[in-house]
Amino acid sequence: MKTLLLNKEDVGRLICMKEVIETVEEAYKAFNSGQVNQPPYTCIHLPPSGEIDFKISHSAANEIISMKASSGGFPNNPIDHGVPSGMGTVLLFDARSCALICVMDGSLLTGLRTGAAGAVSVKALARKNVKTVTSIGTGKQARMQIRAIHHVMKIEEIHAWDHHPENLARYKADIEGEFGIPVVMARSMQAAVEQAHILITTTRGKGALVEAAWIQPGTHIVAMGTDTYGKQEFEPEIFRGAKIVNDSIAQCIEKGETWHPLNRNIIRREDIHAELGEILLGKKPGRETDHEITIFDSTGMAIQDNTTAAKIYRNAIASQTGTTFEFIS
Amino acid sequence: MKTLLLNKEDVGRLICMKEVIETVEEAYKAFNSGQVNQPPYTCIHLPPSGEIDFKISHSAANEIISMKASSGGFPNNPIDHGVPSGMGTVLLFDARSCALICVMDGSLLTGLRTGAAGAVSVKALARKNVKTVTSIGTGKQARMQIRAIHHVMKIEEIHAWDHHPENLARYKADIEGEFGIPVVMARSMQAAVEQAHILITTTRGKGALVEAAWIQPGTHIVAMGTDTYGKQEFEPEIFRGAKIVNDSIAQCIEKGETWHPLNRNIIRREDIHAELGEILLGKKPGRETDHEITIFDSTGMAIQDNTTAAKIYRNAIASQTGTTFEFIS
């Protein structure tokens, strides 16, 4: 029995952002069609700041079981061990036999599928013909969001803000160089948010909050930074009266941005409009007016890893990329 | 960064039962020294009869994180897919960096470490100089128990029973051929149990129960078959007054044989004498008289996979066995 091995370079060559956006849509649709089994994930904390998470899912749609181990929070890794501060590994099993069909590096996967999630929400929930994107946060995922959203709309201007001016300047240089989209370095978070047609937050969820008074009517919010209890990016008042969409309601009310307004009784659970897959499947409406504020709160789901890694695997088979190894002969 | 790949043949050559018994002792001791993080495992059911389990553990003693995926219940695999009905894969991570150091076939691991668990319990709990072992069940794990216990005592005679006479005859031929130990094919389960100094049960936990009246004073019971809610091998009355030892009390009271007498109020939780690691560490006594009945109820722990796979890995490095692959260059 041959198992395909794919290294980081292989993975990077085997899929493009357009395909990731498609596989994340496929994931959300499968999730809201009752075709996904996605148990709570397992986290091992490794003090002082490290952790490794194991996220498992089964899709009856593609008959693949995926297990992604992803680590982070080891800043001394490059110097002490000669490896990155965070890494990932993905196993894929054929659900019909449980044969191990692929072991691939998973370093790129989380970034790609998280970026794509923002783009899928923009397609479903943002006003048509909007032009400006505001990015609160300027790290890797902030860039990935632009890379993905750039595929689904024409971005004419980006307003960006970061607590650290040097990070902001680097972001501006990189984004303008890669995409040719002008980046305005905002003088304050408020100034950036007030310009937003689409507002993306990708911070560590430990800094100043975006305030409700700054949000313009019609804004679509992509709230990506809060994926664990204890993180927060928004004044909870923002959720009052907004159209709230989650990737997984069960996850978001427990550890997403949506937890905060629920905890403060600003909204009730029934005020959550939908899971994104329900909108993609036409079970619930997306945006209905130009004035409403839409919020997509995402905590990330194992099924996104599943469908994206499965596509990488299929592309590898089709292009005869990778190495094989027989764990059982 | 190089990751070591070990196939099934490599694994089989890289460790002997004596070493597995040592690594399982190491596992139990680490578990009862507060050095183990072993979250609840994740199970994906694949109807009609298949499943795949993911068992994760971290040992602060060896600084290894292990993840074992093991599948079973696919009887048509050999014909339909050309692969075994159950398979396994183990990942090992260096806990200091979370680098993936090894991917090994895990097909042999569960059988080996489960067999070794029985032998460790015999060392700690059986009377010295006992001679006869009774085996209820004659499958793969029944043989593995003999293979392991054979390392820690001189077995002079085995009394075996199986519902299917042909399985029993095959077991007798195989055991006598491999170990030269005479096997008596019992005419009934009762006849086999009445001969036991050590009683091993390794059935699927769905058949007739061992009855309390059949157990002789001084017997050590190795109760391996019940590892999931819904399985049972013993009349619960057997637990009354016996010295009850679990691998993990948390697991055994939820899904081990120990659940049954608790559920029937035949014992209380305080009547569970110890976890096996507490006895190995000298924190609690093992057997204290020749007359008491000792019961070792085991549901299997991820830390056994961890210490055993870590030993296989160290042996591979020492003997330069296996293949390397760079998932990240």
Side-chain angles (χ1 to χ4, degrees):
Chain A
M1 186 190 90
K2 286 188 161 67
T3 297
L4 185 67
L5 308 178
L6 298 173
N7 65 26
K8 187 174 174 179
E9 288 69 38
D10 293 332
V11 170
R13 277 195 303 266
L14 280 166
I15 197 159
C16 64
M17 181 54 87
K18 178 175 166 291
E19 289 175 311
V20 181
I21 293 170
E22 289 164 2
T23 61
V24 169
E25 283 197 28
E26 178 195 340
Y28 289 142
K29 286 179 179 173
F31 179 65
N32 286 102
S33 305
Q35 295 183 292
V36 172
N37 181 2
Q38 187 178 259
Y41 71 88
T42 300
C43 179
I44 303 271
H45 291 280
L46 297 152
S49 62
E51 69 175 70
I52 182 166
D53 295 335
F54 296 84
K55 291 186 173 164
I56 294 156
S57 71
H58 169 223
S59 168
N62 65 13
E63 297 199 277
I64 294 283
I65 294 160
S66 66
M67 191 292 303
K68 182 183 77 175
S70 56
S71 62
F74 295 88
N76 300 328
N77 265 1
I79 288 168
D80 291 355
H81 304 286
V83 295
S85 60
M87 290 170 279
T89 304
V90 178
L91 305 183
L92 296 181
F93 300 89
D94 182 332
R96 295 165 302 178
S97 62
C98 279
L100 177 67
I101 55 174
C102 187
V103 184
M104 72 173 73
D105 182 71
S107 305
L108 301 173
L109 194 66
T110 307
L112 287 169
R113 59 85 156 159
T114 306
V120 173
S121 84
V122 165
K123 276 175 71 178
L125 291 166
R127 281 178 288 152
K128 303 309 164 199
N129 306 315
V130 292
K131 294 170 182 172
T132 70
V133 169
T134 290
S135 182
I136 304 300
T138 59
K140 279 188 192 164
Q141 183 49 227
R143 292 147 201 253
M144 196 64 89
Q145 288 290 328
I146 298 300
R147 194 175 151 197
I149 292 172
H150 183 59
H151 270 273
V152 300
M153 66 173 272
K154 178 161 169 41
I155 306 173
E156 294 193 358
E157 194 173 60
I158 296 169
H159 294 258
W161 187 80
D162 192 288
H163 193 68
H164 300 284
E166 64 276 24
N167 293 349
L168 188 51
R170 208 175 308 121
Y171 173 87
K172 176 183 167 70
D174 292 348
I175 293 286
E176 292 185 343
E178 185 174 351
F179 303 103
I181 305 169
V183 174
V184 177
M185 298 195 288
R187 69 184 185 284
S188 68
M189 193 197 281
Q190 177 175 355
V193 171
E194 285 175 346
Q195 295 301 320
H197 295 155
I198 292 169
L199 170 61
I200 307 162
T201 59
T202 57
T203 73
R204 286 149 42 100
K206 303 285 185 186
L209 302 182
V210 173
E211 296 185 18
W214 305 343
I215 310 280
Q216 303 302 311
T219 301
H220 173 58
I221 298 174
V222 180
M224 305 306 285
T226 300
D227 59 355
T228 300
Y229 179 82
K231 294 185 180 180
Q232 185 173 10
E233 297 188 301
F234 290 90
E235 186 187 4
E237 194 63 34
I238 288 172
F239 281 74
R240 193 189 300 275
K243 180 168 272 175
I244 305 159
V245 177
N246 290 173
D247 53 3
S248 152
I249 292 175
Q251 284 187 193
C252 289
I253 66 174
E254 189 194 326
K255 55 191 176 188
E257 194 68 38
T258 306
W259 181 85
H260 295 284
L262 279 167
N263 181 51
R264 296 273 295 278
N265 295 311
I266 289 168
I267 61 166
R268 297 158 304 164
R269 195 186 151 130
E270 311 87 84
D271 295 325
I272 301 169
H273 171 67
E275 290 178 326
L276 187 52
E278 296 179 285
I279 295 172
L280 298 177
L281 289 165
K283 293 180 175 182
K284 289 193 180 168
R287 172 175 289 274
E288 291 166 287
T289 75
D290 279 352
H291 296 284
E292 66 186 339
I293 291 168
T294 51
I295 302 175
F296 176 56
D297 179 18
S298 169
T299 48
M301 300 201 294
I303 190 62
Q304 295 169 252
D305 302 321
N306 179 313
T307 55
T308 305
K311 177 67 175 174
I312 292 166
Y313 171 73
R314 291 195 302 271
N315 286 351
I317 296 294
S319 64
Q320 297 184 304
T321 302
T323 305
T324 60
F325 185 79
E326 290 197 273
F327 286 99
I328 304 175
S329 57
Chain B
M1 185 192 93
K2 287 188 160 69
T3 298
L4 185 67
L5 308 178
L6 298 173
N7 65 27
K8 186 173 176 180
E9 288 69 38
D10 293 333
V11 170
R13 277 193 303 265
L14 280 166
I15 197 158
C16 65
M17 182 54 89
K18 177 175 167 293
E19 290 176 310
V20 181
I21 292 169
E22 290 163 3
T23 62
V24 169
E25 281 197 29
E26 178 195 341
Y28 289 142
K29 288 179 179 172
F31 179 65
N32 285 102
S33 305
Q35 296 184 292
V36 172
N37 182 1
Q38 187 179 260
Y41 70 89
T42 300
C43 179
I44 303 271
H45 292 282
L46 298 153
S49 62
E51 68 174 69
I52 182 165
D53 295 336
F54 296 84
K55 291 185 173 166
I56 294 156
S57 71
H58 170 222
S59 167
N62 65 12
E63 297 200 277
I64 293 284
I65 295 160
S66 66
M67 191 293 304
K68 181 182 78 174
S70 55
S71 62
F74 295 87
N76 300 328
N77 265 0
I79 288 168
D80 290 354
H81 303 288
V83 296
S85 60
M87 290 171 278
T89 304
V90 178
L91 304 183
L92 296 181
F93 300 89
D94 182 332
R96 297 166 301 179
S97 62
C98 280
L100 177 68
I101 57 175
C102 187
V103 184
M104 72 173 72
D105 181 72
S107 305
L108 301 172
L109 194 66
T110 307
L112 286 168
R113 58 86 156 158
T114 305
V120 173
S121 85
V122 165
K123 277 175 70 179
L125 292 166
R127 281 178 289 154
K128 303 308 163 200
N129 306 317
V130 292
K131 294 170 182 172
T132 68
V133 169
T134 290
S135 183
I136 304 300
T138 59
K140 279 187 192 166
Q141 184 49 226
R143 291 147 202 253
M144 196 64 89
Q145 288 290 328
I146 299 300
R147 192 174 152 197
I149 293 171
H150 183 59
H151 270 272
V152 300
M153 67 173 271
K154 179 162 168 41
I155 307 172
E156 294 192 358
E157 195 173 60
I158 297 169
H159 294 258
W161 187 81
D162 193 288
H163 192 69
H164 300 285
E166 63 277 26
N167 292 349
L168 187 50
R170 206 174 311 122
Y171 173 87
K172 175 182 168 71
D174 291 349
I175 293 287
E176 292 185 344
E178 184 173 351
F179 302 103
I181 305 170
V183 174
V184 177
M185 297 194 290
R187 68 183 184 285
S188 67
M189 192 198 281
Q190 177 174 355
V193 171
E194 285 175 346
Q195 296 299 321
H197 296 155
I198 292 168
L199 170 60
I200 307 162
T201 59
T202 57
T203 71
R204 286 149 41 98
K206 304 285 184 186
L209 302 182
V210 174
E211 295 185 18
W214 305 343
I215 310 280
Q216 304 300 312
T219 302
H220 173 57
I221 297 173
V222 181
M224 304 306 284
T226 300
D227 60 354
T228 299
Y229 180 82
K231 294 185 180 179
Q232 185 174 10
E233 296 188 302
F234 291 90
E235 186 187 4
E237 195 62 35
I238 288 173
F239 282 73
R240 192 190 301 276
K243 181 168 271 175
I244 305 158
V245 178
N246 291 173
D247 54 2
S248 153
I249 292 176
Q251 284 187 192
C252 288
I253 67 174
E254 190 195 327
K255 55 192 175 187
E257 195 68 37
T258 306
W259 180 85
H260 295 284
L262 280 168
N263 181 51
R264 295 272 297 275
N265 294 312
I266 289 168
I267 61 167
R268 297 157 304 163
R269 195 185 150 132
E270 312 85 85
D271 296 324
I272 301 169
H273 171 67
E275 289 177 327
L276 187 52
E278 296 179 286
I279 296 173
L280 299 177
L281 289 165
K283 294 181 174 181
K284 290 193 178 167
R287 172 176 288 274
E288 290 166 288
T289 76
D290 279 352
H291 295 285
E292 66 187 339
I293 291 167
T294 51
I295 302 174
F296 176 55
D297 179 19
S298 169
T299 47
M301 299 201 293
I303 190 63
Q304 295 169 254
D305 302 320
N306 179 313
T307 57
T308 305
K311 177 67 174 172
I312 292 166
Y313 171 74
R314 291 195 302 271
N315 286 351
I317 296 293
S319 64
Q320 298 184 304
T321 302
T323 306
T324 59
F325 185 79
E326 290 198 272
F327 285 99
I328 304 175
S329 57

